[in-house]
Amino acid sequence: MNSDLPSERLHSAAGYAEAAESLVEQYESVAFAEVHREVLHLFPTRRSWVLDIGAGSGRDAAALASQGHRVVAAEPTAELRTLGERIHADQDIEWVDDALPELAGLRERERRFDLILLTAVWMHLDEQQRSSAMAGLVRLLNADGRVILSLRHGPVPIGRRMFPVSAEETIDLARGCGLGVILLSERDDPHGRQGVTWTSLGLQAGVVHDR
């Protein structure tokens, strides 16, 4: 792959296949509870259907499956999917090859979820893709389902496709699709990368008076 291509011309998953092994090591080096510390109280306590989009190494999917949830891990990069299935073979996770913005396979099967998790995924989509993807997420949610989403801010790694995405834009998209905001928080990078910060958003269907 030509890493000199402008970010907007790269595929949304560019750079992940080539670096799969090192990325898996990186992802697994930080615990689920630390990555999601601001939003842990939003995860369901009863057994629920969970969709982890851009599941990567399966760290989050495995943690949720270990809590008794029925988890679907959508990961379009075959190398990451293969490693994730092997590392977390002890957990009951349904791995699928699917990706935003279409999530065509899951939509075709008319799946519905209580929680949709997008960790470090949304900023890989361009503006048009983000608009269609948000509407698609809502179609996959149960009536009172939640979306937990994180946005990465900071320098773009060489060979990756990322866009500057604000919390305000994402909230406006969510509200336009019928999702209310139940949490907005900011934090430093859990991996300690200089100049990188994160926004976490909790969104919920059926919430009229949000924050």
Side-chain angles (χ1 to χ4, degrees), residues 3 8 36 47 55 76 78 93-94 96 98 148 162 174 178 188 206:
S3 61
E8 64 272 13
H36 300 289
R47 192 181 189 210
I93 302 169
E94 178 186 349
V96 298
D98 215 343
I148 296 177
M162 295 183 187
D188 294 332

Side-chain angles (χ1 to χ4, degrees), residues 5 12 27 29 52 56 74 113 115 118 138 152 154-156 168 177:
L5 284 174
S12 61
Y27 299 155
S29 70
D52 184 8
F113 298 91
L115 173 69
L118 302 99
V138 173
R152 183 188 191 277
V156 178
E168 291 75 17
C177 292

